[in-house]
Amino acid sequence: MPRYVLIFLAFLIVIVALEGCNTLYNAKTIDIEVVIPAKMRLPQKYNHVAVKYNNTNVSYNPNFSNYIEGDAIITDTTNIDSVASEIYFEMFVQSMEEQFYFDSVSVLEPSNYSGITIIDTTPDIQIVFDSVNNVLNGISPSKVATKGLASLIKAMQNKKGNKTKIIDPEYGLYSKSEIEQIADTTGADLFLSFDLFGSFDGINYNSYNNIGTETILSLSFWTIYDLQKKELLFFYDKMDTVFWTTEDLFISNPGNFKLVKKNLPERRDAILNAADISGTNFAKLIVPHWIPVQRMYYRSGNIELKSAEELLLKNEWMKAAEIYSKHTTNKNKSIAAKSMYNMAVICEIQGDLDAAIDWTVKSFQVFNQKNEIHYTNCMNYIKILGQRKLDIKTIELQLDPKAGIYKKSKNDQPLD
């Protein structure tokens, strides 16, 4: 046999051997949605919620009017914050309604604080927190909330108006009778009041690296009331940060701030967009919600598995599962392992996390640790599924058991 034929055969043997060691490298990702628990732990399950736009910072406020562009400080008198606060609230309400966590969401008539001076009558208190923000010195949550709100308003209030509004030490911007009235008229058991909003913004320019960063800081303050007990539960205040970064792409004009600025959003658009994001994020803080994620699945040159992949990408999960299930016993170990793994992905999509874990373990056991790529894929997926099981348990604790179990998938169907 000629020498070149031997070399060619040896080359083929090496290729086949390499393929045998790396049969599970052909993978792709699919977009799915999963539910994650609320980060804010309410003391109990509330079924009906009332919300109100109660923003005290509605008039032109010089504390929020200045913004930075490079080395310049510019004053804006258009009062964009008022528009941004309305968008923040609208997106919050929309996101709350989209999650279907509460049986009803009642939106109350907004308050108008134009021309009103807020008067602080809250007593001076010294608040001591532990490492997880629990009050240690016995001060009621209502006094902590109202003092925090009073301090913010005092620091940011612009000018005195013709009318006055007194901050109640126990109920904030409301009185006990007003809280009782809200409870009676809405039938809600939880009340969320949006009490203050403001934003700070600017564009920072690094001429050395030709990088511009536009940053929006959105400040929000909420008070949360239990309408069954007619008491202020706690408050929420947060500074959310949204930013955009770009650089001067015009090499002929290095260090040109104007060119960099053109690649950043218009200031008004940036502020309103940041308010949109912040309002949506606050709703997601309160209720369990769906998020988009990606899951890996295996591809194959097998004709039937190609058909299964097409069905998978069309969201025809059950039809794809029929094909993959048949090939989980394929004599070709690579096809069997791939089919088992893909069955796990479909089970997760359908909300059966236990079955997903079982299929992943079976897929791993085909090669155990002999195939490093497959071993890593299976171990990573088992961790993901384990965390999802913990999340589901947390969500179930956040729900009324009488209301049933929260859907684990948007596509819940039984898998045989």
Side-chain angles (χ1 to χ4, degrees), residues 15 29 34 38 98 115 141 160 167 240 303 316 360 370 400 406:
I15 293 297
T29 59
V34 301
E98 287 176 348
K160 294 184 178 181
I167 296 180
D240 292 312
I303 295 176
E316 297 184 31
T360 308
K370 294 179 181 178
D400 184 348
Y406 199 75

Side-chain angles (χ1 to χ4, degrees), residues 292-312:
V293 296
Q294 289 189 325
R295 291 292 184 259
M296 188 210 86
Y297 71 92
Y298 282 116
R299 308 186 72 190
S300 174
N302 180 283
I303 295 176
E304 289 192 338
L305 294 192
K306 282 185 176 180
S307 298
E309 180 183 7
E310 291 176 2
L311 293 168
L312 188 69

Side-chain angles (χ1 to χ4, degrees), residues 127-170:
I127 305 170
V128 180
F129 294 94
D130 65 9
S131 58
V132 290
N133 284 342
N134 293 315
V135 179
L136 294 180
N137 56 340
I139 299 173
S140 69
S142 61
K143 285 186 171 61
V144 175
T146 54
K147 191 61 185 178
L149 177 60
S151 299
L152 274 176
I153 291 176
K154 185 177 180 180
M156 298 176 181
Q157 193 165 228
N158 177 23
K159 58 184 178 180
K160 294 184 178 181
N162 298 324
K163 299 179 181 179
T164 59
K165 175 76 174 181
I166 296 175
I167 296 180
D168 189 297
E170 290 292 338

Side-chain angles (χ1 to χ4, degrees), residues 176-232:
K176 183 178 181 180
S177 62
E178 287 174 322
I179 293 299
E180 291 173 344
Q181 183 181 17
I182 291 172
D184 294 338
T185 57
T186 64
D189 44 26
L190 183 69
F191 175 43
L192 307 177
S193 180
F194 178 41
D195 293 342
L196 188 144
F197 179 89
S199 61
F200 306 91
D201 67 287
I203 298 177
N204 175 265
Y205 177 60
N206 186 322
S207 58
Y208 180 79
N209 294 315
N210 279 348
I211 295 176
T213 303
E214 184 170 6
T215 304
I216 311 294
L217 304 176
S218 299
L219 170 67
S220 58
F221 190 104
W222 291 77
T223 41
I224 294 91
Y225 300 81
D226 185 320
L227 294 182
Q228 296 174 340
K229 298 178 180 178
K230 313 296 190 301
E231 65 181 21
L232 198 164

Side-chain angles (χ1 to χ4, degrees), residues 91-129:
M91 294 310 301
F92 164 75
V93 173
Q94 179 180 317
S95 297
M96 291 276 283
E97 292 173 338
E98 287 176 348
Q99 301 306 323
F100 298 104
Y101 176 75
F102 295 104
D103 293 343
S104 65
V105 179
S106 301
V107 182
L108 306 185
E109 286 294 320
S111 296
N112 185 356
Y113 286 90
S114 299
I116 294 180
T117 300
I118 310 295
I119 299 176
D120 176 18
T121 62
T122 59
D124 292 330
I125 55 177
Q126 183 177 3
I127 305 170
V128 180
F129 294 94

